[in-house]
Amino acid sequence: MSLLTHILAVLFGMGSWVSINGLWVELPLIVPQIPEGWLLPSYLSVLIQMANVGPLFVTLMHRINPGKLNETAVIYVIIGLGTVASFLLGFFWKETLFVGGFHRSVALLVLTFFLATVDCTSSVTFLPFMMQLKPEYLTTYYIGEGVSGLLPALVALVQGVGVVHCINSTKISNQTSNTSSFELQAQYQPANFSVEVFFFFLSAMMLVCLVAFILLNYHPAVAREHPNGRYTNGVQVKNNKWAEKNLMIDSYKTPKRRSRFGTGAYSVVEVVYIFVILAWVNALSNVVLPSVQSYSCLPYGNNAYHLSATMAAVSNPLACFIAMFLPIRSLVVMGALTAVGSGVGAYIMWMAALSPCPLLVHGPWGGVIMVLSWVVLLLTMSYVKVMVGVILRDEGHSALVWCGAVVQLGSLLGAVTMFPLVSIFSFFSSGDPCNTKCP
């Protein structure tokens, strides 16, 4: 295998979600300087789901006119759009317009919609493109997809996003008797560099992704890593007549197709099982649990919150790296790992519901268990995603298109479920990183 191709696959995969992941980790610095305040995350969730118009268009094109859509051109367009939108955010993210009687961050919201469209559409274009390379490089691509969350988190860590110091503050408890009390107050430290610099960094990462994609298409070393034979809509066509003759002979020996999906290796029930797990895993890991991460972690302290966020970001590419050397295609193992991850996710959701007074909030073990829970959750869920990707990669090009569509469908269902619980009904209560007022 080519080391250069592996590196390019990682850099290409990194561009899939780096923009939106970067925007989320930068929120603590953005929110205080815009009129929307902490309503911005709710707006972002809606914009990201509206951006599913991109993958919907690509999926319908594949369905209506198979083989007619030029995926390479689409990828060039969306990477270029992501690069430009990230760059423009560096100049206009604080600009507001007077709309409906209020100041609104119109530029930030519009450019965020473009970034979300880019990232959502990457799910149904980047994965099918990887069909052009040997199967080993699909796992490398998933490592890059994990890095798209890890790298912005590390840069934000260097930037000092959300670093809190607890300082003593005097509070007047009774104005008549002029009595006062002392309590700890959270004070956020200034960042080491500005939000503008961070957005320029995201634009540079998208530019790196574009260069990697160009090299994946044109570099001679990558061309040698294409599978033997060419692919047309996911079906491999051999290059010589003898191979075609042998393929016809082998077709009499192979078992009867179990379904019309892909190569027919899986029954209809198994295909539904795979896609249901894929949707469930992505709903939990992409939307449902991240939307309550602060509620589940902050009661245990600011260090627990930042450590869980950082370790979770590391767990994703680590799981993909493990899958590279330990690939498993067992549907039973897939179900078992999903059950383990779902059980851990249920614990995280339970603690978030109990916020600001979850279990073990007064001792050190509560924070340790919560950080470990996030690590286990992301390790299992990320590994299952790679398992599904490897399985569907063998089923052909259209299977990977449907893989990306189901990923977005799962995320959409998760957002529709969590948005009213978090933003409308206020089902969850935030904890104070400096003061824990629990019995």
Side-chain angles (χ1 to χ4, degrees):
M1 293 184 292
S2 167
L3 177 61
L4 173 63
T5 309
H6 277 297
I7 294 174
L8 293 177
V10 169
L11 296 177
F12 176 57
M14 180 192 64
S16 58
W17 284 93
V18 69
S19 299
I20 291 299
N21 287 334
L23 192 61
W24 279 111
V25 300
E26 196 71 0
L27 283 181
L29 293 182
I30 296 175
V31 164
Q33 303 183 58
I34 59 172
E36 288 78 9
W38 278 108
L39 288 176
L40 180 63
S42 299
Y43 295 158
L44 294 185
S45 299
V46 174
L47 288 173
I48 291 171
Q49 301 317 314
M50 289 173 59
N52 279 308
V53 65
L56 178 62
F57 169 77
V58 173
T59 305
L60 288 177
M61 285 295 295
H62 280 294
R63 182 66 178 175
I64 297 171
N65 293 311
K68 298 296 183 180
L69 184 67
N70 188 338
E71 282 178 345
T72 301
V74 173
I75 294 175
Y76 276 123
V77 170
I78 63 175
I79 296 179
L81 180 61
T83 304
V84 174
S86 300
F87 186 75
L88 291 178
L89 273 174
F91 294 100
F92 300 110
W93 70 274
K94 284 195 295 187
E95 300 297 323
T96 60
L97 292 177
F98 202 69
V99 180
F102 299 94
H103 286 282
R104 304 290 185 187
S105 303
V106 176
L108 174 63
L109 296 176
V110 170
L111 291 172
T112 297
F113 173 76
F114 286 133
L115 289 181
T117 303
V118 169
D119 291 358
C120 291
T121 309
S122 72
S123 297
V124 292
T125 52
F126 284 21
L127 272 176
F129 171 79
M130 295 304 295
M131 280 290 298
Q132 300 184 25
L133 301 176
K134 294 178 181 177
E136 295 83 358
Y137 296 105
L138 182 62
T139 306
T140 310
Y141 166 83
Y142 274 113
I143 293 176
E145 197 172 86
V147 171
S148 72
L150 173 61
L151 191 58
L154 294 178
V155 173
L157 197 63
V158 174
Q159 186 184 16
V161 171
V163 176
V164 175
H165 288 299
C166 298
I167 61 174
N168 285 323
S169 176
T170 303
K171 179 181 179 182
I172 299 175
S173 56
N174 191 326
Q175 293 183 353
T176 304
S177 60
N178 199 25
T179 59
S180 61
S181 60
F182 294 93
E183 69 174 12
L184 294 175
Q185 183 179 12
Q187 185 180 66
Y188 288 88
Q189 300 302 299
N192 295 322
F193 54 86
S194 67
V195 176
E196 289 82 0
V197 173
F198 186 84
F199 281 131
F200 293 147
F201 159 76
L202 293 182
S203 180
M205 290 301 96
M206 291 301 298
L207 191 60
V208 169
C209 173
L210 178 61
V211 173
F213 181 63
I214 294 173
L215 292 177
L216 283 173
N217 278 287
Y218 297 108
H219 198 283
V222 178
R224 292 192 293 268
E225 297 304 311
H226 287 219
N228 294 326
R230 57 186 175 86
Y231 277 80
T232 304
N233 293 329
V235 179
Q236 189 177 22
V237 181
K238 299 294 184 179
N239 290 328
N240 59 74
K241 295 182 179 180
W242 286 106
E244 292 178 359
K245 183 177 180 180
N246 291 334
L247 186 63
M248 294 176 61
I249 296 174
D250 291 340
S251 65
Y252 291 101
K253 301 178 184 179
T254 55
K256 193 175 181 179
R257 288 170 61 94
R258 300 170 64 186
S259 71
R260 294 183 178 181
F261 181 80
T263 62
Y266 296 95
S267 66
V268 174
V269 174
E270 289 172 333
V271 171
V272 172
Y273 168 81
I274 291 171
F275 279 127
V276 167
I277 283 185
L278 181 63
W280 173 256
V281 164
N282 280 279
L284 286 184
S285 60
N286 293 351
V287 180
V288 173
L289 293 172
S291 65
V292 299
Q293 186 170 20
S294 60
Y295 301 106
S296 66
C297 298
L298 275 180
Y300 298 107
N302 196 63
N303 288 334
Y305 173 70
H306 280 284
L307 189 58
S308 66
T310 304
M311 293 303 295
V314 173
S315 299
N316 195 324
L318 177 61
C320 300
F321 188 76
I322 293 173
M324 178 183 293
F325 298 98
L326 189 63
I328 300 176
R329 299 167 185 256
S330 169
L331 299 186
V332 175
V333 174
M334 182 192 301
L337 289 176
T338 303
V340 171
S342 300
V344 175
Y347 172 79
I348 293 173
M349 185 66 70
W350 182 26
M351 295 304 101
L354 293 177
S355 178
C357 299
L359 301 179
L360 304 175
V361 69
H362 292 296
W365 286 107
V368 172
I369 293 174
M370 182 53 63
V371 172
L372 290 177
S373 296
W374 276 99
V375 171
V376 172
L377 171 78
L378 268 298
L379 278 175
T380 53
M381 296 302 190
S382 299
Y383 191 89
V384 169
K385 291 179 188 179
V386 178
M387 289 178 66
V388 174
V390 170
I391 289 173
L392 295 181
R393 195 264 177 214
D394 291 343
E395 297 305 302
H397 178 276
S398 61
L400 286 180
V401 174
W402 281 108
C403 176
V406 171
V407 166
Q408 294 307 119
L409 176 62
S411 300
L412 173 62
L413 294 177
V416 170
T417 303
M418 294 305 297
F419 179 78
L421 293 178
V422 175
S423 303
I424 299 177
F425 300 112
S426 301
F427 186 76
F428 301 93
S429 301
S430 297
D432 190 323
C434 292
N435 299 287
T436 304
K437 299 177 181 179
C438 296

